[in-house]
Amino acid sequence: QVQLVESGGGLVQAGGSLRLSCVASGRAASAFAMGWFRQAPGKDREFVGAIKVVDNSTLYADSVKGRFAISRGNARGTVYLQMNSLKVEDTAVYYCAAAMRQVFLTMARVYDFWGQGTQVTVSS
């Protein structure tokens, strides 16, 4: 049963923009919060940002604050990651995740459902 599907990744030049989409289904569509994480080759998966469904409040990693923005779509279970002023170091596989509980949203282990990931490559 597919729960989360990301799309929108691709190749972009430094300074450019991309918007990632995530569509949740099943139990994931009733998540307390939706998060975005990324993983570059040879590195651990890191928190990018999250949005709480109840009030649309957001939180971001310092590395993306002011450049990335998370929002929810009109359709239930839809969330976006708008990425502006992209840098080469933003290159990674980006994952959408759903958390069913209100705890430590910056930590990957609290998320219950994960998408398959979408590649974002930023060239210099």
Side-chain angles (χ1 to χ4, degrees):
Q1 183 180 0
V2 176
Q3 299 278 359
L4 295 169
V5 179
E6 305 101 332
S7 62
L11 174 65
V12 63
Q13 286 191 324
S17 299
L18 277 177
R19 189 177 82 156
L20 305 184
S21 301
C22 175
V23 179
S25 60
R27 286 189 61 212
S30 300
F32 169 82
M34 302 290 291
W36 286 95
F37 288 76
R38 65 187 182 186
Q39 188 166 20
K43 295 188 177 181
D44 293 334
R45 189 168 298 190
E46 67 170 348
F47 173 76
V48 173
I51 184 166
K52 296 181 183 179
V53 172
V54 64
D55 60 8
N56 287 332
S57 61
T58 54
L59 63 161
Y60 299 96
D62 288 343
S63 59
V64 306
K65 202 170 292 183
R67 299 188 298 122
F68 290 12
I70 297 175
S71 61
R72 292 177 56 229
N74 291 329
R76 180 170 175 260
T78 302
V79 65
Y80 302 105
L81 177 65
Q82 178 67 43
M83 305 185 293
N84 299 325
S85 301
L86 282 161
K87 304 175 181 180
V88 172
E89 51 264 43
D90 293 320
T91 296
V93 176
Y94 283 71
Y95 296 90
C96 176
M100 308 306 289
R101 298 157 292 168
Q102 182 184 351
V103 289
F104 306 118
L105 294 176
T106 61
M107 300 177 67
R109 61 184 176 89
V110 309
Y111 288 80
D112 301 277
F113 300 100
W114 290 84
Q116 81 287 352
T118 186
Q119 177 70 47
V120 171
T121 303
V122 184
S123 63
S124 58

